[in-house]
Amino acid sequence: MTSSNPHPKHSRNIRREDSLVSDEERQQIFRQRGVTIWLTGFSGSGKSTIAKALERHLVSSGHYCYILDGDNIRHGLNRDLGFTADDRKENIRRIAEVARLFNAAGMIAITAFISPYRSDRDMAREIVGAENFLEVHVSTPLEICEQRDPKNLYKKARAGEIQHFTGISDPYEEPQDPALRLDTSMLEVERSVTIIFDLLQSRGVFGDRS
Ligand code: ADX
């Protein structure tokens, strides 16, 4: 137990095991580096749509990736969490830990969570590792997200039937320096995918293969 351990009670008498397989070996097998594409933005901004189209494109071009999506993860791993600031923080912490494991396994993780708090996204960057963390702000304006209202949630939030709804009765803190900003009211989905793919290439994620 070290004094820097924030949870000494739960984490006594454990220590990390090193793998006999190096990151470099995994990168050679997968011919890619495991990174996390962290999509953040309002509900209805287009995060899931971009994530799915990007996953389709990456897999079609022979890459390994997997989507972690708010609505899906909240049915399983994070089914015990709601939407208070503390619960959102724990939601993001667990997702970041999962993304880190995916990356360590050689997989590209695409995450689609509102992740409204800057401090939580900073925590995610720290957990994943800044060198592997690409923050993408899906910056579609709130008015457009509310017009789209694909799940009728904005209507319910306006009517007071949902509390703490991001953009209506809860804050969204915009990223100050994201790797990309994509406004889906201005960009076709395929254009957004190309922009992210080009970013991955420029960051050397695919080595010299693509
Ligand atoms: S986050 O804030 O913790 O990152 P997350 O992305 O997991 O949120 O989940 C957001 C999804 O949960 C929304 O797309 C919406 O479908 C649903 N939802 C239900 N209640 C709320 C709420 N109060 N605020 C935001 N989204 C909500």
Side-chain angles (χ1 to χ4, degrees):
M1 188 179 81
T2 66
S3 56
S4 62
N5 188 332
H7 300 294
K9 216 170 64 194
H10 305 297
S11 310
R12 212 170 275 164
N13 301 321
I14 57 167
R15 72 180 171 84
R16 290 183 188 277
E17 282 289 350
D18 292 327
S19 174
L20 301 178
V21 180
S22 69
D23 289 348
E24 290 69 29
E25 280 177 277
R26 281 184 226 277
Q27 284 170 23
Q28 274 170 17
I29 292 167
F30 286 113
R31 287 181 290 179
Q32 67 180 35
R33 188 157 58 85
V35 296
T36 295
I37 301 152
W38 191 278
L39 303 170
T40 170
F42 290 116
S43 181
S45 60
K47 300 184 297 300
S48 303
T49 305
I50 291 176
K52 285 194 273 187
L54 178 63
E55 181 185 50
R56 182 65 268 163
H57 183 79
L58 282 168
V59 171
S60 295
S61 36
H63 300 292
Y64 298 85
C65 65
Y66 196 73
I67 298 174
L68 298 166
D69 185 288
D71 285 284
N72 293 346
I73 297 289
R74 281 176 174 279
H75 279 101
L77 176 66
N78 291 350
R79 67 194 307 167
D80 56 326
L81 300 176
F83 292 92
T84 62
D86 278 354
D87 277 6
R88 289 186 202 253
K89 180 177 186 176
E90 179 60 10
N91 186 36
I92 297 313
R93 189 192 69 78
R94 291 182 197 172
I95 298 315
E97 290 286 357
V98 173
R100 185 178 73 85
L101 292 173
F102 277 23
N103 292 170
M107 187 85 76
I108 295 170
I110 307 168
T111 70
F113 297 84
I114 300 177
S115 41
Y117 296 111
R118 207 169 282 138
S119 58
D120 293 352
R121 295 192 303 266
D122 288 347
M123 170 185 64
R125 177 181 288 107
E126 199 164 309
I127 290 169
V128 168
E131 67 288 1
N132 292 334
F133 187 87
L134 302 169
E135 187 177 29
V136 176
H137 181 200
V138 183
S139 60
T140 314
L142 180 63
E143 308 79 71
I144 306 279
C145 300
E146 190 168 0
Q147 274 166 31
R148 291 177 179 168
D149 206 4
K151 304 173 213 158
N152 259 331
L153 296 176
Y154 284 96
K155 206 173 288 168
K156 288 185 185 165
R158 288 281 183 206
E161 291 166 33
I162 305 177
Q163 319 295 319
H164 302 293
F165 196 80
T166 308
I168 305 298
S169 45
D170 231 42
Y172 179 80
E173 299 171 356
E174 292 203 350
Q176 284 165 329
D177 188 24
L180 290 174
R181 267 184 233 284
L182 303 171
D183 176 347
T184 65
S185 66
M186 313 285 283
L187 292 168
E188 298 289 338
V189 181
E190 288 311 323
R191 181 74 195 125
S192 294
V193 168
T194 303
I195 292 170
I196 298 175
F197 195 83
D198 289 350
L199 174 74
L200 295 174
Q201 270 184 320
S202 75
R203 298 285 174 97
V205 168
F206 307 132
D208 55 11
R209 184 174 64 137
S210 47

